[in-house]
Amino acid sequence: MLPFKSLISSKQLTAESIGEIFEITDYMQDVVETKGRIDTLSDKVVALLFFEPSSRTMLSFQTAAQRLKAGPIFAQNASSTSFEKGESIEDMIKVVAGYSDIIVMRHAQPGSAQIAADASNVPFINAGDGGNEHPTQAIIDVYTIHRNKGRLDNLHVVFGYDSLQSRSIHSLTRLLAQYPGNKFTFIGPEALFPNQAMLDELTTLGAECDVQDCAAVTKDVDIIYLNRLQEERFPDLQLFEQNRKKYRLTRADVEGSDALILDPLPRIDEIAVEVDALPNAVYFKQTSYGVPVRMALLASLLGRA
Ligand code: NCD
């Protein structure tokens, strides 16, 4: 049993709950590969509210719901819902909670996940609240790291190139910082390094942090975690345009390195396509774990795992 009703931030995730989620995920992965679908949630309705663009997160939650035989219901564009008429997040969530057994929401406003979870009388999952957090992605990321490296501690992880605005990087660093001996190097343009509050938070949790303005660090590195510059979150697009082509991982950068290369995707400019063929480039595999991880979360938060 996970010790929370709703998942809003990776700050809620302890090593113990991650261990529990991994066990259920392994079981769900087996279901995916063998039976395909199981009856676990055949009496449940999962509400999928995606008010910001999404491919992987929405489709993998939908797939997860269907493989558990739950009936998914959708709302996809803020403009096609009552938000357009000025309805508050709280009211919208109260209504949807009356139709469903669990709510998954992505919304552009940082902090919207907490507002929604507080308004909901059914379990709630944050599928990304603006540039703030993306905790289910962080679980997929640590699951991928664990499967490939066999541990989540004593890792040197390089993060780039928009650690300031990437919710995936915020959630993953907060989660990994809880494990002993982890060291983070943030790369990219200086303007997109994590802010001081984030660096202080990670250091307090126990991670050693440093920053470097460059496109690649590979020496003594276990993981390279890249995410596109978050174009939609730039107050001034000039900074985005100046840097989008400048920071890019090439095959020459990582040839011969055994660092695992991750990216929550979509990939835009941050990784050259030629890198895909390297055995350590695991981002497409990483994406596939979205289904069993999200099956595990849905089943677990509904008390069925
Ligand atoms: C990420 C997101 O939406 O924050 N993608 C995802 O969920 N797989 C990363 C991104 O959009 O850059």
Side-chain angles (χ1 to χ4, degrees):
M1 260 298 259
L2 293 172
F4 43 82
K5 174 185 141 201
S6 293
L7 179 58
I8 298 142
S9 160
S10 64
K11 286 188 236 182
Q12 296 167 267
L13 297 162
T14 58
E16 199 185 338
S17 18
I18 287 295
E20 191 179 323
I21 295 168
F22 280 7
E23 245 178 69
I24 309 169
T25 301
D26 288 343
Y27 169 75
M28 295 302 181
Q29 178 66 25
D30 189 55
V31 167
V32 170
E33 286 166 12
T34 55
K35 296 194 266 292
R37 299 176 88 198
I38 39 170
D39 290 333
T40 315
L41 300 182
S42 57
D43 56 342
K44 300 288 184 191
V45 171
V46 177
L48 301 169
L49 313 181
F50 280 81
F51 303 123
E52 255 199 334
S54 177
S55 306
R56 278 145 289 272
T57 307
M58 191 188 68
L59 289 174
S60 61
F61 263 116
Q62 184 183 0
T63 308
Q66 291 190 343
R67 288 198 181 277
L68 297 168
K69 297 196 187 168
I73 57 168
F74 294 98
Q76 252 176 287
N77 283 310
S79 60
S80 66
T81 66
S82 288
F83 278 142
E84 183 74 5
K85 302 176 189 164
E87 189 173 38
S88 67
I89 293 172
E90 288 95 326
D91 285 4
M92 161 83 75
I93 291 293
K94 282 180 192 156
V95 171
V96 177
Y99 302 155
S100 61
D101 300 289
I102 187 165
I103 300 174
V104 178
M105 184 180 83
R106 169 171 287 192
H107 192 286
Q109 184 184 316
S112 53
Q114 186 66 61
I115 294 170
D118 290 344
S120 177
N121 62 4
V122 299
F124 173 88
I125 300 177
N126 178 10
D129 60 330
N132 185 34
E133 282 247 15
H134 194 356
T136 66
Q137 181 64 48
I139 300 170
I140 296 164
D141 300 337
V142 290
Y143 186 74
T144 310
I145 294 170
H146 195 263
R147 279 188 80 125
N148 284 277
K149 292 279 178 192
R151 67 181 198 280
L152 295 176
D153 56 10
N154 295 298
L155 294 167
H156 180 194
V157 190
V158 170
F159 289 98
Y161 297 113
D162 185 357
S163 303
L164 180 69
Q165 302 174 114
S166 163
R167 56 189 170 204
S168 297
I169 294 180
H170 297 164
S171 288
L172 179 57
T173 50
R174 282 186 170 125
L175 181 48
L176 279 178
Q178 297 178 38
Y179 292 81
N182 285 336
K183 182 180 163 190
F184 303 152
T185 302
F186 297 97
I187 62 171
E190 194 184 332
L192 300 179
F193 289 162
N195 61 29
Q196 197 55 47
M198 188 77 202
L199 290 172
D200 290 347
E201 183 185 331
L202 297 173
T203 310
T204 306
L205 283 169
E208 192 188 319
C209 296
D210 83 291
V211 293
Q212 280 184 50
D213 185 338
C214 62
V217 173
T218 53
K219 197 169 176 294
D220 302 324
V221 168
D222 300 296
I223 318 278
I224 299 172
Y225 188 98
L226 298 179
N227 193 189
R228 71 188 169 96
L229 301 195
Q230 305 282 295
E231 182 177 0
E232 67 277 33
R233 308 202 195 288
F234 280 81
D236 170 10
L237 272 182
Q238 211 184 335
L239 183 61
F240 167 73
E241 291 298 345
Q242 277 163 2
N243 291 298
R244 59 177 297 191
K245 301 275 181 212
K246 231 164 109 186
Y247 295 88
R248 181 187 191 76
L249 192 77
T250 65
R251 192 161 171 141
D253 290 328
V254 284
E255 195 92 71
S257 156
D258 67 353
L260 205 64
I261 305 163
L262 283 88
D263 186 330
L265 304 178
R267 175 242 312 269
I268 308 298
D269 301 303
E270 73 278 14
I271 300 181
V273 174
E274 65 199 20
V275 175
D276 298 4
L278 296 175
N280 297 331
V282 293
Y283 25 92
F284 290 108
K285 191 74 199 156
Q286 175 188 358
T287 277
S288 76
Y289 296 138
V291 172
V293 164
R294 288 172 170 134
M295 287 169 80
L297 287 170
L298 291 173
S300 188
L301 290 174
L302 285 168
R304 297 281 170 84

